[in-house]
Amino acid sequence: MTASPIPFDASQPHVARVYDYLLGGKDNFAADRAVGDRMLASLPAVQLGVRAQRDVLGRVARYLVGEVGLRQLLDIGSGLPTADNVHEIAQRIDPATRVVYLDNDPIVLAHAEALLADEESTFAVDGDLRNPAGTLTNPDVRKHLDWERPIGLLMCGILHYVLDDEQPADVVASLYHADNHPV
Ligand SMILES: C[S@@+](CC[C@H](N)C(=O)[O-])C[C@H]1O[C@@H](n2cnc3c(N)ncnc32)[C@H](O)[C@@H]1O
């Protein structure tokens, strides 16, 4: 399927900004905070959950680079930059590690581009998880990652946004089984 990019609309809550609010960030609007507050009211432990998720993401990045020895990561649904982002964790272990962030939220991409303006090993790309063929053929994704070498694929806190009729298992399988040669 093809997925249209999300237009920027501050009056509509959006996943990345609600998540940012729950993490204690400042990159969110009233509509996002309203949803976050409703979540907190019905499930106070949600804040603990999002922090734990962020910790898991950091541990996975450390494991893939530090223990498995990967030097390339593709992080789909990267979210708004916060403290200790995936590229910072990975590049503390080896500054040459290449990280591509892919997200479909224009706000996430704007922040990532500002944060990464001087970066030579980290790139933010507009894309949609639900369009794996688009990801695999995206010229920026292909340019910044070496498809002859292993690539660590991160999808943290995103799969539950893919609806059953959008075939999440097929989406993951397409990415997981993609061979390492240009398509
Ligand atoms: C809850 S945040 C998770 C951020 C980060 N991965 C983490 O675990 O801390 C989910 C992110 O997925 C992005 N997202 C949601 N659906 C997406 C899709 N279909 N394609 C690409 N990004 C998507 C949102 O914009 C948001 O930035």
Side-chain angles (χ1 to χ4, degrees), residues 14-16 19 23 53-54 57 75-80 102-105 108 127-130 156-158 161-162:
H14 188 260
V15 166
Y19 186 66
L23 277 172
Q53 175 176 297
R54 199 71 205 170
L57 178 62
D75 182 0
I76 301 184
S78 43
L80 283 162
L102 185 140
D103 207 289
N104 67 350
D105 183 340
V108 167
D128 196 300
L129 170 65
R130 296 165 297 174
C156 186
I158 182 175
Y161 300 114
V162 183

Side-chain angles (χ1 to χ4, degrees), residues 103-116:
D103 207 289
N104 67 350
D105 183 340
I107 296 274
V108 167
L109 295 167
H111 278 262
E113 277 159 15
L115 179 79
L116 303 173

